[in-house]
């Protein structure tokens, strides 16, 4: 759909260098927005100024302004652009450019896919990729180097587990990395071993560095290609802004190149991959918003523990399916507080990954202690907050904490979480509703590429607690579902708020950027299954069309 000039005379009178510098009326739409109280507001027209900001939201009765351009929405559904509060931009791009095993349901299927990929890419010195999940394969164990050697033995292979918390190497990769039975354990990680003591091929968390340190770095042009791919993918899902969780200096430089050259369309709220990256990227304070509110480094990502799938999440009591193991704290209590202080003293926002109940309790305690010194509007972010002791839930309501959670993780993890924790420790598991009732603000995301970035799946899961097959019927711990309106709010304005972006984007209100979608159905009336099948027809950012399904 193209912008239609009102008249040639109007166009001639414009006398501006580019049609982008003109105001636009998007009219005859079935517009939806959610107000600050979570109530639905409907409208029929959107007047956008020449900076790409909303000038006025119009309903049926309002007079139409005389604008330079007018777009007939043909009665289609227009909704705010969706915002993902936690994903990995470059990971989405590289994931789409490397071997993706996320759709494999058995080891044999994965092996076939790896073999085919190796054959199709003879020029690649390493076979890299990820997305594997031994739980989904029903394997009952981690895969091994021998499983990989069967299909690729002439080139090194390194494949990340779907959650990014484990890596799977073939024998050649381990040989090149100098990893052997004599290699000592790494703090914050674990080398899976065979009964002989030799590494089995799987490396948990920090142990992955033993192999990844010898993988050749992608070149700047590879990174540019990955960012382009990530934007293409995210915009096609209707994501107009995202928090990038763990931005490295190279990631940031890639984003800056895109911004400088006018290739950055997506809005990125960046959180540096650790305090060193934070200082290297931004120096003494968060960066300003760059490129018309498209990029800012506002905070730092820290990790308190690993993930539940690889039993790296830090629990208060041992795993139900691994007695004696309580998982791994990544940082000592004083390290946690020191890193958070270093960020907070220079007004950087802290976004800390906490999955297990012990990690969440530790982070909540650290926030309580630091809030005395670092008062004011801090918006401490707890990323994931998957397993919380019921006794700790109320603590989320204090100190302006933001719970950054990913609805689809709940459906992917449900059976695994039951196995890891047992039936009696699920009272604060993926507890969106309980956490939101404490007064904490929920910001929703996908954690892509761990999960698909498709926000419709996240929305449908958020108010049903059912997966794509409608399982379990009636929802898993259904009292933890949130309303459809609140889910939409957590995927738009509250995800913006979580990144200090309110007033700039996230809502279709006067003065904010006109980021919106045309979709083929009404997200407030569609059944969960219909919602999951939503087609994004067009994605617009700052009044400019950046994706079209046609
Ligand atoms: Zn993540």
């Amino acid at each position: 759909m193209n912008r239609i000039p009102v008249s040639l005379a109007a166009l001639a009178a414009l006398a501006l260098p580019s049609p982008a510098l003109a105001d636009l009326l998007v009219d005859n739409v079935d517009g939806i927005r959610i107000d600050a109280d979570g109530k639905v507001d409907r409208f029929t027209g959107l007047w956008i100024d020449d900076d790409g900001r909303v000038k006025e939201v119009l309903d049926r009765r309002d007079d139409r302004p005389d604008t330079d351009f007018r777009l007939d929405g043909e009665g289609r559904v227009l909704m705010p652009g969706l915002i993902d509060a936690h994903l990995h931009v470059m990971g989405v791009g590289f994931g789409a450019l490397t071997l993706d095993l996320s759709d494999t349901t058995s080891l044999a299927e994965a092996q076939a896919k790896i073999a085919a990929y190796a054959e199709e890419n003879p020029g690649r010195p390493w076979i890299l990729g990820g997305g594997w999940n031994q739980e989904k394969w029903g394997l009952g164990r981690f895969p091994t180097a021998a499983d990989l050697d069967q299909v690729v033995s002439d080139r090194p292979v390194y494949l990340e587990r779907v959650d990014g918390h484990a890596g799977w190497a073939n024998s050649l990769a381990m040989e090149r990395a100098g990893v052997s039975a004599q290699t000592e354990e790494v703090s914050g990680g674990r080398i899976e071993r065979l009964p002989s003591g030799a590494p089995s091929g799987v490396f948990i968390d920090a142990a992955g560095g033993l192999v990844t340190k010898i993988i050749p770095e992608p070149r700047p042009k590879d990174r540019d290609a990955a960012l382009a791919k990530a934007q293409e993918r995210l915009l096609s899902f209707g994501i107009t802004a995202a928090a990038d969780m763990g931005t490295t200096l190279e990631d940031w430089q890639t984003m800056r190149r895109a911004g400088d050259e006018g290739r950055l369309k997506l809005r990125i709220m960046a959180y540096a991959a650790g305090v060193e990256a934070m200082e290297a990227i931004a120096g003494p304070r968060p960066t300003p918003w760059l490129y018309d509110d498209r990029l800012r480094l506002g905070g730092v990502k820290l990790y308190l523990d690993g993930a539940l799938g690889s039993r790296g999440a830090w629990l208060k009591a041992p795993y139900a399916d691994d007695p004696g193991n309580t998982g791994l704290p990544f940082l000592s209590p004083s390290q946690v507080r020191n890193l958070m202080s270093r960020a907070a003293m220079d007004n950087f926002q802290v976004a800390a990954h906490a999955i297990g109940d012990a990690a969440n309790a530790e982070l909540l305690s650290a926030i309580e202690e630091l809030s005395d010194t670092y008062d004011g509007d801090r918006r401490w972010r707890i990323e994931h907050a998957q397993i919380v002791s019921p006794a700790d839930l109320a603590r989320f309501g204090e100190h302006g904490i933001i719970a950054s959670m990913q609805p689809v993780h709940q459906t992917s993890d449900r059976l695994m979480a039951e196995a890891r924790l047992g039936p009696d420790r699920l009272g604060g598991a993926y507890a969106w509703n309980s956490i939101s009732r404490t007064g904490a603000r929920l910001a929703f995301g996908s954690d892509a590429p761990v999960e698909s970035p498709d926000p419709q799946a996240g929305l449908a899961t958020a108010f049903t607690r059912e997966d794509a097959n409608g399982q379990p019927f009636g929802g898993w711990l259904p009292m933890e579902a949130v309303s459809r309106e609140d889910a939409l709010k957590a995927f738009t304005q509250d995800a913006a708020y979580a990144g200090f972006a309110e007033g700039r984007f996230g809502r279709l209100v006067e003065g904010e950027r006109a980021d919106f979608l045309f979709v083929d159905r009404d997200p407030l009336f569609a059944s969960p299954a219909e919602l999951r099948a939503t087609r994004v027809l067009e994605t617009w950012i700052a009044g400019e069309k950046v994706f079209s399904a046609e």
Side-chain angles (χ1 to χ4, degrees), residues 281-365:
I281 292 168
R285 69 188 72 86
T287 72
W289 284 96
L290 304 167
Y291 315 118
D292 300 328
D293 296 337
R294 280 190 174 79
L295 183 65
R296 176 177 181 253
L297 191 295
V300 64
K301 168 87 180 290
L302 302 174
Y303 282 89
L304 272 83
D305 66 345
L308 212 50
S310 50
R311 298 191 186 83
W314 180 27
L315 300 181
K316 291 183 176 180
Y319 281 87
D321 58 357
D322 190 4
N325 180 15
T326 56
L328 304 163
F330 282 9
L331 301 166
S332 71
S334 63
Q335 282 174 319
V336 171
R337 285 155 183 77
N338 285 344
L339 291 171
M340 289 172 72
S341 289
R342 268 179 75 188
M345 71 175 65
D346 288 334
N347 289 307
F348 287 98
Q349 191 186 6
V350 173
H353 164 123
I355 298 233
D357 53 6
N360 276 284
E362 171 67 7
L363 182 54
L364 288 161
S365 297

Side-chain angles (χ1 to χ4, degrees), residues 86-88 163 165 245-246 301 303 353 383-384 406 409 446-450:
H86 181 128
L87 54 65
H88 306 274
D163 59 8
H165 288 272
M245 278 295 154
K301 168 87 180 290
Y303 282 89
H353 164 123
E383 302 302 317
H384 310 305
Q406 300 76 35
H409 277 331
S446 66
D447 206 7
V450 177

Side-chain angles (χ1 to χ4, degrees), residues 34-40 485-486 489 493 507:
I34 309 284
D35 71 17
D37 302 323
K39 290 203 193 68
V40 178
E485 292 77 9
D486 283 350
K489 197 161 164 271
Q493 56 187 276
R507 299 177 62 197

Side-chain angles (χ1 to χ4, degrees), residues 55-70:
K55 194 162 184 174
E56 204 179 329
V57 178
L58 305 157
D59 70 29
R60 200 169 304 283
R61 294 174 302 272
D62 294 325
D63 289 337
R64 268 37 193 171
D66 185 17
T67 54
D68 302 313
F69 291 92
R70 180 178 177 277

Side-chain angles (χ1 to χ4, degrees), residues 86-91 243-252 255 269-274 277 281 297 299-303 351 383:
H86 181 128
L87 54 65
H88 306 274
V89 172
M90 299 304 290
D244 184 47
M245 278 295 154
T247 312
T248 65
L249 181 58
E250 291 78 13
D251 294 344
W252 177 259
M255 293 164 186
M269 301 172 275
Y271 292 80
I281 292 168
L297 191 295
V300 64
K301 168 87 180 290
L302 302 174
Y303 282 89
E383 302 302 317

Side-chain angles (χ1 to χ4, degrees), residues 180-219:
S180 69
Q182 282 72 49
T183 304
E184 283 175 22
E185 291 298 325
V186 177
S187 93
R190 186 170 72 244
I191 302 171
E192 291 291 316
R193 294 181 191 266
L194 301 169
S196 67
S200 72
V202 166
F203 299 84
I204 310 293
D205 289 316
L210 292 168
V211 180
T212 57
K213 67 171 197 272
I214 64 154
I215 297 174
E217 285 283 304
R219 297 158 298 175

